[in-house]
Amino acid sequence: MDFEQMVVLITGAGSGIGAAGAKLFAQRGARVCLVDLDEDSLSEQVQKIKGDGGEAIAKKSDVSSEEEIAAAIQAAIDEWGQLDVVWANAGIGGINAPIDKIKLEEWEKIMRTNLSGTFLTIKHAVPHMKERGGAIIVTSSTSGNRTFTDVGSTPYSVSKGAQVTLAKVLAVELSVHGIRVNAICPGKTATSLSDSDTSRATEELKRPIEHPYGDMPLQEDNELDPEEVALAALFLATASAVTGTEIYADGGQGLVT
């Protein structure tokens, strides 16, 4: 996987899967634009990449703000004049509660970040990719696609299911421009995604099934390293015949839960 002279933009790149992906792309020769809300984390990741001899810039941006994500994409264009791979990776977990206890504003916040943020990232990236073609990658989840047992995480699961639909629809639309669109569906991964989650009335939630002991066949600790998931993005960035497809980077978790 050689990305020499290619330009890669990754949202949610300040930590977790996005940061791991930025490192891997840079190690393989890509010039990487890291986008995140956390300016300190962005600076830290960029310094690591540069310290390893890579080329990277950072742009603080809220992906749910059209103005901010458009400015982040323009920053990559201003720096390098092209855009080859766009990875819409930013997302939040949000509320965990029975459906009748979820507030409209909580639902809308998750949709703005996870779904509208993905839409806006792709919308503003596509005009810069139509001439050269390229790859768009969306970080979805097993939740809402392969597994539906996370009872109480309705807004999150719906946003993640919708992301895969968005990727499939756009894979057809953008194929005439040589742009491939795919989704990664991670299982449980060692990230900070759930750090800001909130819960309400969870005692009212009843799971429809019981999880078996040890629900990730490939991992004894039932948790993936972010770099393991990020490797799927490198594959999708180079797999010239793959589009409109969701890849489950879940260690087999969705097969047994």
Side-chain angles (χ1 to χ4, degrees):
M1 295 181 185
D2 183 5
F3 298 95
E4 195 70 33
Q5 298 305 309
M6 293 177 65
V7 175
V8 179
L9 181 141
I10 305 173
T11 66
S15 62
I17 296 169
K23 172 187 172 183
L24 291 175
F25 274 111
Q27 286 176 340
R28 288 157 176 80
R31 296 167 288 181
V32 188
C33 178
L34 291 79
V35 181
D36 201 284
L37 267 174
D38 189 330
E39 201 162 17
D40 291 338
S41 294
L42 279 178
S43 177
E44 180 183 349
Q45 298 306 325
V46 167
Q47 290 308 310
K48 286 180 179 179
I49 290 172
K50 289 183 175 180
D52 289 337
E55 189 173 353
I57 61 171
K59 184 66 177 178
K60 182 178 182 294
S61 173
D62 179 350
V63 296
S64 68
S65 164
E66 183 162 16
E67 181 180 77
E68 290 187 23
I69 189 59
I73 290 168
Q74 188 60 50
I77 296 299
D78 291 344
E79 184 74 18
W80 296 302
Q82 66 191 65
L83 199 54
D84 302 289
V85 179
V86 173
W87 185 1
N89 170 72
I92 60 173
I95 184 67
N96 182 40
I99 188 65
D100 54 316
K101 300 295 195 301
I102 297 173
K103 300 174 183 177
L104 177 60
E105 55 266 31
E106 292 170 331
W107 170 278
E108 291 178 337
K109 179 180 179 180
I110 294 170
M111 294 301 165
R112 280 198 308 272
T113 301
N114 294 356
L115 188 53
S116 295
T118 299
F119 157 71
L120 290 171
T121 301
I122 296 173
K123 172 187 174 180
H124 288 281
V126 162
H128 302 290
M129 301 177 72
K130 283 184 175 180
E131 185 176 341
R132 293 169 55 89
I136 294 172
I137 304 161
V138 175
T139 299
S140 178
S141 172
T142 53
S143 297
N145 290 293
R146 195 179 217 178
T147 60
F148 298 86
T149 53
D150 290 331
V151 179
S153 64
T154 304
Y156 177 79
S157 294
V158 170
S159 73
K160 291 298 167 178
Q163 282 181 314
V164 170
T165 299
L166 178 63
K168 289 177 180 289
V169 170
L170 292 180
V172 177
E173 176 183 333
L174 299 176
S175 62
V176 296
H177 303 292
I179 300 172
R180 297 177 297 102
V181 189
N182 293 288
I184 301 171
C185 298
K188 185 180 180 184
T189 309
T191 71
S192 58
L193 177 68
S194 61
D195 288 357
S196 60
D197 288 0
T198 56
S199 299
R200 182 181 305 117
T202 53
E203 70 279 358
E204 298 179 17
L205 296 170
K206 305 293 182 183
R207 291 187 183 273
I209 65 169
E210 290 186 10
H211 284 251
Y213 178 78
D215 58 359
M216 190 177 287
L218 284 179
Q219 295 287 347
E220 289 185 3
D221 60 359
N222 297 327
E223 191 171 63
L224 294 165
D225 184 273
E227 190 166 305
E228 294 179 283
V229 178
L231 284 168
L234 271 69
F235 166 74
L236 290 175
T238 57
S240 60
V242 180
T243 194
T245 298
E246 65 272 37
I247 289 183
Y248 293 97
D250 68 346
Q253 184 177 33
L255 301 174
V256 297
T257 57

